[in-house]
């Protein structure tokens, strides 16, 4: 059926949209799926890895009780986590993608495809951002929570895991949702290493007919739909959490 | 004399330049109810928080059932399990329900099964009159209810001593009574307690010993009768006079 459509003249904007959608639907669908995959894996993986960074960063040194080795391990953990976050937040993801993809490609690992590299980079990048989100979530927890846990006999580590992290993560969920929205849009830069995301798919769809504006108009609408619905969900979540907060001040 | 539960020897605590505790000596005996009174900034809350090392004294010794809390080799977490603490701002765990607040430490620290912990928690919540609210969220409770749950949470660990840090100061006046009632009940059962409070009538009624603190030292110590009716120290007299007139 697609073959029946022929390329409309240049001034026929809407016919061109229709033509592109029909002719290249498989491109767009594949692009959408890859963009969603990158965003979902990046946000979920970034969340999990950010917990590791959070654990490293929230260790504190007890100068009276910790052994010298423990103090050094804690310090090294701090330095690692802080440098990781500085580097990944301080450089563009497009640059990170170039370095990782072309840096690891010479090893000739059969599984090191653009998509795998893209998933890898977006995950590492998101890790740094979500770690900052969770950090501010932890800062927002009243210090009485930790004191109550310690007074019952929980160690500092167990107090963090049982009392502080769960509350900080819950409070951070809307901000983590926003990271997902950012990822939906920003994974477009991964097309630079050849990931067939929505951006790259649109490029491919317009490469032979040069209807770039119409093609990317379609891409914009698709991006907008994805981000709009996600942000609606995030807003719902925020409202739900505000309600429970209001109750607690009643 | 009955067994000494807490033996505080010459503790000092500085916050920056300011000397908050300047050489405190104090003993707390089995089943004694000891109330600490004094104006704000006298160091009474800091002293209480030093007793389970939420604030760490700069020097001195605190012996709890024979172990020196200030010794770096002491297992603090183990000892804290035997000291209940109740805070001015309740500090219930906001992500847990009422009963979960009470069950958490028995499950994780005493290794009770969920059923055992639920039974224990229900018993403690009944004791503080909160059995109707076991499935409420923390955010649905009033201040007085929160504080009673906080007391139940501490009691569930079967502590040797209970530390109360101004337990009614953050409450609306009409809720003070229900919390003081619970504390009184504990006193009658022979619980060893150290209470920092501004409720003078309550302190007088419930305590075996009153400690009046001023400027980081224990200014006067004695029975409620002596401190409230025949204080020897000028500073105690001045403090109580101000209190009665307010």
């Amino acid at each position: 059926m697609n073959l029946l459509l022929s390329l409309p003249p240049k001034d026929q904007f809407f016919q061109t949209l229709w033509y592109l959608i029909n002719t290249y639907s498989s491109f767009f669908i594949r692009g959408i799926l890859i963009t969603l995959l990158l965003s979902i894996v990046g946000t979920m993986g970034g969340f999990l890895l950010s917990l590791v960074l959070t654990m490293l960063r929230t260790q504190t040194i007890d100068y009276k009780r910790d052994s010298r080795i423990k103090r050094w391990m804690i310090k090294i953990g701090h330095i690692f986590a802080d440098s990781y976050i500085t580097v990944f937040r301080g450089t563009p993801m497009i640059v990170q993608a170039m370095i990782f993809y072309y840096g690891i490609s010479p090893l000739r690992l059969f599984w090191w495809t653009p998509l795998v590299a893209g998933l890898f980079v977006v995950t590492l990048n998101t890790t740094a951002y979500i770690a900052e989100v969770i950090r501010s979530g932890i800062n927002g927890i009243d210090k009485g929570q930790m004191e109550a846990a310690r007074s019952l006999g929980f160690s500092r580590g167990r107090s963090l895991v049982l009392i502080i992290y769960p509350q900080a993560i819950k409070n951070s969920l809307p901000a983590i949702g926003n990271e997902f929205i950012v990822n939906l849009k920003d994974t477009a830069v991964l097309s630079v290493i050849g990931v067939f995301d929505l951006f790259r798919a649109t490029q491919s769809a317009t490469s032979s007919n040069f209807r770039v504006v119409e093609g990317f108009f379609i891409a914009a609408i698709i991006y907008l739909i994805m981000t709009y619905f996600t942000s609606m969900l995030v807003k719902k979540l925020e409202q739900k959490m505000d309600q429970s907060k209001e109750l607690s001040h009643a | 004399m009955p067994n000494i539960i807490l033996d505080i020897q010459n503790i000092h605590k500085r916050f920056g330049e300011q000397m908050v505790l300047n050489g405190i000596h104090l003993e707390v005996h089995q089943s004694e109810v000891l109330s600490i009174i004094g104006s704000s900034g006298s160091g009474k809350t800091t002293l209480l928080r030093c007793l389970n090392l939420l604030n760490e004294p700069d020097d001195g010794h605190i012996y709890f059932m024979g172990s020196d809390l200030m010794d770096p080799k002491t297992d603090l977490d183990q000892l804290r399990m035997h000291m209940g603490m109740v805070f001015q701002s309740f500090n219930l765990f906001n992500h847990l329900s009422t009963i979960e607040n009470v069950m958490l430490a028995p499950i994780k620290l005493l290794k009770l099964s969920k059923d055992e912990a639920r039974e224990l928690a229900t018993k403690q919540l009944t004791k503080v009159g909160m059995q109707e609210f076991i499935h409420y969220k923390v955010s649905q409770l009033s201040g007085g209810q929160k504080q009673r749950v906080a007391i139940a949470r501490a009691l569930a660990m079967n502590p040797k001593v209970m530390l109360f840090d101004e337990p009614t100061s953050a409450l609306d006046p009409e809720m003070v009574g229900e919390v003081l009632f619970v504390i009184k009940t504990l006193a009658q059962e022979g619980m060893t307690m150290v209470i920092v409070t501004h409720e003078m009538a309550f302190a007088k009624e419930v305590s075996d010993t009153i400690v009046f603190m001023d400027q980081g030292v224990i200014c006067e110590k004695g029975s409620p009768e002596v401190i409230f009716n025949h204080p020897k120290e000028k500073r105690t007299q001045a403090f109580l006079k101000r209190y009665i007139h307010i």
Side-chain angles (χ1 to χ4, degrees):
Chain A
M1 183 196 96
N2 291 351
L3 297 173
L4 296 177
L5 280 172
S6 58
L7 185 63
K10 277 228 158 202
D11 55 353
Q12 302 281 317
F13 184 75
F14 291 102
Q15 281 86 338
T16 309
L17 295 186
W18 185 241
Y19 165 82
L20 288 174
I21 289 170
N22 275 286
T23 314
Y24 297 103
S25 58
S26 65
F27 282 38
F28 285 115
I29 286 167
R30 192 166 150 217
I32 291 168
L33 290 177
I34 299 278
T35 289
L36 283 173
L37 179 72
L38 288 164
S39 307
I40 291 169
V41 170
T43 310
M44 306 254 270
F47 169 68
L48 292 176
L49 288 179
S50 76
L51 295 181
V52 177
L53 288 187
T54 301
M55 282 182 205
L56 291 176
R57 294 171 103 192
T58 45
Q59 299 302 314
T60 53
I61 296 176
D62 183 340
Y63 281 96
K64 196 172 152 190
R65 293 178 185 82
D66 289 344
S67 66
R68 183 177 294 219
I69 295 169
K70 189 173 175 197
R71 281 187 230 171
W72 273 106
M73 303 229 321
I74 292 171
K75 264 187 199 156
I76 290 168
H78 284 179
I79 293 169
F80 171 79
D82 290 343
S83 335
Y84 181 97
I85 289 162
T86 308
V87 168
F88 276 91
R89 281 169 30 110
T91 56
M93 187 156 72
I94 193 168
V95 172
Q96 295 159 15
M98 295 299 274
I99 291 175
F100 276 100
Y101 181 61
Y102 292 105
I104 294 176
S105 287
L107 301 179
R108 305 224 163 269
L109 305 167
F110 73 93
W111 48 267
W112 190 247
T113 61
L115 178 60
V116 171
L119 289 167
F120 186 76
V121 167
V122 70
T123 302
L124 293 187
N125 186 273
T126 310
T127 299
Y129 283 93
I130 294 185
E132 281 297 271
V133 164
I134 292 180
R135 191 245 287 268
S136 69
I138 287 174
N139 289 342
I141 305 285
D142 184 78
K143 71 179 184 7
Q145 296 285 308
M146 173 63 94
E147 289 181 348
R150 297 307 302 274
S151 78
L152 287 166
F154 287 110
S155 66
R156 191 168 180 285
R158 294 191 87 190
S159 305
L160 286 170
V161 170
L162 291 169
I163 307 298
I164 307 298
Y165 296 157
Q167 296 185 54
I169 290 166
K170 190 180 163 214
N171 295 345
S172 302
L173 284 178
I176 292 171
N178 283 329
E179 282 305 318
F180 178 74
I181 294 171
V182 167
N183 277 341
L184 282 173
K185 296 181 293 173
D186 286 7
T187 47
V189 303
L190 295 172
S191 59
V192 75
I193 56 171
V195 181
F196 199 83
D197 73 319
L198 181 55
F199 182 89
R200 180 82 172 199
T202 313
Q203 270 186 326
S204 300
T206 55
S207 61
S208 58
N209 50 44
F210 304 111
R211 300 296 165 86
V212 177
V213 174
E214 291 86 347
F216 280 95
F217 188 82
I218 295 168
I221 300 285
I222 297 172
Y223 276 119
L224 197 58
I225 291 170
M226 291 195 292
T227 55
Y228 182 77
F229 277 100
T230 318
S231 66
M232 293 293 279
L233 286 177
V234 172
K235 242 183 213 152
K236 274 233 172 87
L237 187 67
E238 272 175 341
Q239 276 167 1
K240 209 177 148 197
M241 287 172 58
D242 281 346
Q243 276 170 4
S244 65
K245 253 182 210 156
E246 265 168 38
L247 265 176
S248 73
H249 292 303
Chain B
M1 274 307 230
N3 290 339
I4 293 175
I5 299 277
L6 273 166
D7 185 2
I8 297 126
Q9 295 183 0
N10 198 28
I11 61 171
H12 290 78
K13 176 71 181 172
R14 231 172 275 108
F15 286 133
E17 291 291 292
Q18 205 198 348
M19 190 67 115
V20 186
L21 295 179
N22 198 355
I24 301 278
H25 295 265
L26 193 63
E27 285 174 1
V28 182
H29 298 91
Q30 175 90 49
S31 295
E32 182 176 10
V33 178
L34 186 148
S35 293
I36 306 174
I37 61 172
S39 46
S40 326
S42 60
K44 56 190 192 308
T45 285
T46 306
L47 172 59
L48 190 82
R49 290 167 56 87
C50 279
L51 298 185
N52 66 355
L53 254 62
L54 279 187
N55 285 356
E56 183 145 7
D58 298 321
D59 61 87
H61 295 281
I62 299 169
Y63 295 94
F64 174 56
M65 301 191 309
S67 308
D68 187 359
L69 297 178
M70 295 287 285
D71 182 345
K73 289 184 201 76
T74 301
D75 184 350
L76 265 184
D77 297 326
Q78 185 66 35
L79 289 175
R80 282 198 183 114
M81 285 168 55
H82 303 290
M83 311 170 94
M85 185 154 192
V86 174
F87 298 85
Q88 182 177 347
S89 49
F90 329 125
N91 297 346
L92 290 183
F93 303 133
N94 295 316
H95 61 309
L96 301 178
S97 71
T98 296
I99 195 163
E100 286 167 343
N101 262 277
V102 184
M103 288 167 65
L104 183 73
I107 290 174
K108 300 288 179 184
L109 295 171
L110 303 179
K111 309 289 177 204
L112 263 54
S113 73
K114 279 206 167 164
D115 288 336
E116 290 167 326
R118 187 169 291 115
E119 195 180 329
L120 171 66
T122 308
K123 193 180 117 202
Q124 298 300 346
L125 286 167
T126 305
K127 187 170 185 171
V128 299
M130 289 296 292
Q131 67 278 17
E132 314 270 315
F133 299 88
I134 56 176
H135 295 301
Y136 277 52
K137 289 181 186 171
V138 169
S139 55
Q140 293 169 311
L141 301 177
S142 73
Q145 292 172 332
K146 283 182 192 172
Q147 195 61 300
R148 287 188 279 151
V149 174
I151 293 171
R153 176 177 69 178
L155 289 176
M157 294 298 284
N158 192 22
K160 294 276 185 294
V161 58
M162 286 282 283
L163 311 175
F164 290 88
D165 181 13
E166 303 193 23
T168 59
S169 296
L171 295 179
D172 292 334
E174 72 268 24
M175 291 169 186
V176 170
E178 61 191 70
V179 172
L180 294 185
F181 178 78
V182 170
I183 301 174
K184 260 183 242 171
T185 313
L186 290 178
Q188 282 156 10
E189 289 172 1
M191 175 65 77
T192 312
M193 300 197 278
V194 182
I195 306 168
V196 170
T197 186
H198 291 288
E199 298 285 336
M200 294 304 150
F202 167 72
K204 189 174 174 181
E205 183 189 342
V206 78
S207 310
D208 301 304
T209 313
I210 303 284
V211 167
F212 172 66
M213 282 186 70
D214 190 45
Q215 295 176 3
V217 296
I218 291 176
C219 184
E220 190 167 356
K221 182 185 160 195
S223 68
E225 153 72 9
V226 170
I227 298 289
F228 286 109
N229 299 346
H230 315 288
K232 292 189 194 73
E233 297 288 329
K234 284 240 156 49
R235 284 185 284 177
T236 317
Q237 291 165 5
F239 170 77
L240 289 172
K241 203 178 242 170
R242 252 181 300 151
Y243 242 92
I244 287 156
H245 285 298
I246 283 167

